[in-house]
Amino acid sequence: MNDLDLLTAITVFVLSVLVGIEVISKVPATLHTPLMSGSNSVHGIVVVGAMLIAAESHTWLGYALAFVAMVFGAMNVVGGYVVTDRMLEMFKAKPQTRAADDKAEV
């Protein structure tokens, strides 16, 4: 990797951080959790990137970093779906008990 590639990579990283901060700061608090739980699945890209790093790496440090990235990415993907499932459970109708039905008939 030459200096120009490194400078380009750092520039893209810094710009993506700034755009991410700007976009997230505009989201109201009531929408933050639903949006984040869905967008956490985007970390699947992190898992794929970690697999590519592991495939290209030939050192123990590269393998270790790829493993850590895969673990964190997978945890975030699963966590996003767990949060989404818990939120959807809040909107389901509660099953009525037989005792409540008996009182309604009287």
Side-chain angles (χ1 to χ4, degrees):
M1 180 181 261
N2 62 27
D3 291 336
L4 186 59
D5 290 340
L6 180 62
L7 182 63
T8 302
I10 291 173
T11 303
V12 168
F13 177 74
V14 169
L15 288 175
S16 65
V17 167
L18 293 174
V19 168
I21 289 171
E22 186 66 24
V23 168
I24 294 298
S25 67
K26 303 293 186 212
V27 175
T30 55
L31 292 177
H32 191 266
T33 301
L35 289 175
M36 290 308 292
S37 66
S39 67
N40 279 342
S41 63
V42 173
H43 276 82
I45 297 170
V46 172
V47 175
V48 172
M51 289 179 189
L52 292 173
I53 289 172
E56 295 293 322
S57 179
H58 300 293
T59 65
W60 67 270
L61 180 61
Y63 291 129
L65 289 174
F67 177 75
V68 169
M70 279 189 252
V71 168
F72 284 149
M75 285 185 344
N76 212 352
V77 169
V78 171
Y81 285 115
V82 168
V83 169
T84 302
D85 185 54
R86 290 182 73 186
M87 284 188 313
L88 292 175
E89 286 293 321
M90 294 187 320
F91 294 105
K92 288 186 178 178
K94 303 282 185 203
Q96 291 185 350
T97 62
R98 183 72 183 150
D101 290 341
D102 291 341
K103 287 181 182 178
E105 290 176 7
V106 174

